[in-house]
Amino acid sequence: MQVKGSFQLMKSLNRSVILNKIRTDGPISRADIAKETHLTPPTVSSIVKELLETGMIKESSQGVSKGGRKPTMLIINASNFYIIGLDVGPTLMKSVLTDLNGTLVTESQTPIPQPTSNDELLELMKVTVQQLIASQQGKQDKIIGIGVGMHGVVDVEEGVSLFAPNLQLQDIYIKDFLEEEFGILVKVENDARAMALGELWFGNGNGAENIVTVNLGRGIGAGIIINGKLFHGENSIAGEIGHMTIDIRGPKCSCGNYGCLQTLASGPALAEKAAREIAIGKQSLLQDMVDNNLEEIGGRLIHEAAKKGDQLSIDILKEAGLYLGIGLTNLIHTLNPNRIIIGGGVSQAGEFLLDSVKTTIQSRGLTKSAKNTEVLLSKLGANATALGAVSLILVELFSRTDTD
Ligand SMILES: [Zn+2]
């Protein structure tokens, strides 16, 4: 199923610059675009003409005249094009189809069969994308790209999932496969980084140049944005804060070390802690909630119990907030972001966690500004990574800085 696009992704820097100007400052006139981008008026005119023909931008109401004819204003024709975003997690594949503003048009989620193989997983992605495309009867040619947020280690250049630990898979050639199948641009990124980009474009990151987003769920990962761009590090390990050592005498981690942040503040870590405390006699509502099957305790249940006033659950979340706060203070002292955004499953327990995170940063931060680093909860909720995957394509469309 090839998508026959009426529109090729922008390959020219000038087009990208103009498009981005219209996105950020529209409605804007041709004259103001020229003035502010330092491109010549004829260049602006011819590129604007081309963009109007593709339907990527449109003319809006007329602007205020500064003497003479009123200028025609230009805006992005956001609802004329669509992007698909996939969030490939350990157990679920979430998918969204949005317009260029990230407005949700349709979404779905599919369980990933366990165990699975590379071919099965690619097939599942293919079917998912086919269904999203099929849901847009008559507008298939308006879909311009597919972004994929994949847990684990990703080769971003080649679009390959090198290692997906929770699915026990390696070397999945996602980009090649989907581009061949659908004939549109495909970008693949680690899920925590995709989430960071999603926050920057659509969420609480708006306006900030240096942000860190923390994906707090079964594992803990961070997406780091420096000067408005995702930071990968030399070998794509940047942001693996789940394996930051917090307590060298702490519990053993899946990575072989002791006291990693992940062993102290992830969903499974909280569940284990609750089960352990109850097993040695602590009273808790959780016991009844799982009918004494302590292995059924999970992050969500602990949050529910905390809301009902269960002291053990409240204490566990508070303690997780302390450990997370220590990890984030280390991050603040290393990267000095102006904002930290917390998302992922465990972050749903927001109010119980966040106070303790903030108190810890307040008491440990080196300077006044470090202490006051803004910490927010993600407002993108369960779709944060899928929307982040969408923003991978928006970056290609609007923020190209080269001319390849
Ligand atoms: Zn570890």
Side-chain angles (χ1 to χ4, degrees), residues 242-245 251-263:
H243 299 287
M244 176 192 285
T245 304
K252 189 163 187 186
C253 181
S254 58
C255 72
N257 295 318
Y258 289 86
C260 292
L261 182 59
Q262 203 154 295
T263 66

Side-chain angles (χ1 to χ4, degrees), residues 184-235:
I184 49 179
L185 179 78
V186 176
K187 299 292 285 185
V188 187
E189 182 56 275
N190 161 272
D191 58 354
R193 287 198 200 108
M195 195 182 111
L197 206 58
E199 287 293 340
L200 190 71
W201 280 79
F202 310 123
N204 273 328
N206 232 333
E209 283 281 283
N210 299 302
I211 65 171
V212 174
T213 62
V214 178
N215 192 358
L216 197 58
R218 294 191 65 78
I220 301 177
I224 300 165
I225 288 176
I226 298 176
N227 297 330
K229 290 215 167 90
L230 273 180
F231 180 72
H232 292 87
E234 190 63 35
N235 301 108

Side-chain angles (χ1 to χ4, degrees), residues 118-226:
N118 287 10
D119 288 345
E120 277 172 10
L121 188 70
L122 290 172
E123 188 63 26
L124 191 63
M125 289 185 192
K126 180 176 119 181
V127 172
T128 302
V129 171
Q130 279 173 339
Q131 284 167 350
L132 286 174
I133 293 175
S135 73
Q136 299 307 302
Q137 278 298 337
K139 295 185 261 179
Q140 281 93 338
D141 62 341
K142 303 290 188 186
I143 298 170
I144 60 173
I146 304 167
V148 181
M150 179 81 197
H151 78 275
V153 185
V154 171
D155 176 339
V156 174
E157 290 295 312
E158 303 295 327
V160 179
S161 161
L162 295 175
F163 180 43
N166 293 315
L167 292 170
Q168 311 250 345
L169 299 179
Q170 288 178 27
D171 301 328
I172 317 167
Y173 288 81
I174 299 172
K175 181 181 165 77
D176 282 356
F177 175 82
L178 291 178
E179 281 188 347
E180 166 94 28
E181 194 63 43
F182 297 104
I184 49 179
L185 179 78
V186 176
K187 299 292 285 185
V188 187
E189 182 56 275
N190 161 272
D191 58 354
R193 287 198 200 108
M195 195 182 111
L197 206 58
E199 287 293 340
L200 190 71
W201 280 79
F202 310 123
N204 273 328
N206 232 333
E209 283 281 283
N210 299 302
I211 65 171
V212 174
T213 62
V214 178
N215 192 358
L216 197 58
R218 294 191 65 78
I220 301 177
I224 300 165
I225 288 176
I226 298 176

